[in-house]
Amino acid sequence: MNAFNDTDNIIWKQSTKIKPGDIVFMYVGSPISAIIHQCKVLEVNIPYDYQGKNLKITHVMRIQRIASYPKNEYTFKKLADYDVRAIRGPRHVPEKLLKDLLKRQKASSH
């Protein structure tokens, strides 16, 4: 995912009820198919006007990358171990997966 190539702060499509301070995990689809970033929401409900063939964006959020994971660590196949069977948009992270992601992030920051 190239969004964080030059900066740790980006704007991203906002499609759920989210608030500043929330933690979001960025899942990248095929060919990577894995969770690769942990981000903190800095700002929400920023007006934005985009209309594409299959996408309409009216609000975005500003997020800050706080951790990255190796592309082979939280793959779609591995997420099945946490009872994640499908990812088709924003969703809650199962408690066991959340604990592992946060534990991994703390370990890598030391």
Side-chain angles (χ1 to χ4, degrees):
M1 188 167 137
N2 298 326
F4 291 109
N5 278 356
D6 299 322
T7 182
D8 284 332
N9 293 306
I10 63 169
I11 58 169
W12 198 258
K13 182 180 185 295
Q14 179 184 332
S15 57
T16 60
K17 294 182 181 175
I18 198 157
K19 61 187 181 306
D22 284 352
I23 299 296
V24 295
F25 296 93
M26 305 296 285
Y27 176 88
V28 176
S30 182
I32 295 171
S33 301
I35 294 173
I36 61 169
H37 297 299
Q38 179 187 136
C39 302
K40 181 177 182 179
V41 177
L42 302 175
E43 186 179 355
V44 297
N45 299 323
I46 302 166
Y48 197 84
D49 185 24
Y50 174 82
Q51 179 74 48
K53 182 178 177 183
N54 298 313
L55 178 65
K56 180 178 181 178
I57 301 175
T58 59
H59 289 85
V60 295
M61 60 185 170
R62 183 169 307 284
I63 58 175
Q64 176 183 27
R65 178 179 51 179
I66 54 178
S68 293
Y69 305 101
K71 294 175 185 174
N72 63 349
E73 190 161 353
Y74 292 103
T75 62
F76 184 72
K77 186 175 181 179
K78 175 72 174 164
L79 295 179
D81 295 344
Y82 298 94
D83 294 323
V84 175
R85 306 283 183 231
I87 300 175
R88 293 186 183 94
R91 58 167 291 150
H92 285 91
V93 177
E95 191 66 30
K96 184 177 186 288
L97 175 56
L98 179 61
K99 286 180 182 178
D100 285 355
L101 286 161
L102 294 175
K103 180 171 53 173
R104 171 71 171 85
Q105 184 266 327
K106 287 180 184 175
S108 67
S109 66
H110 291 117

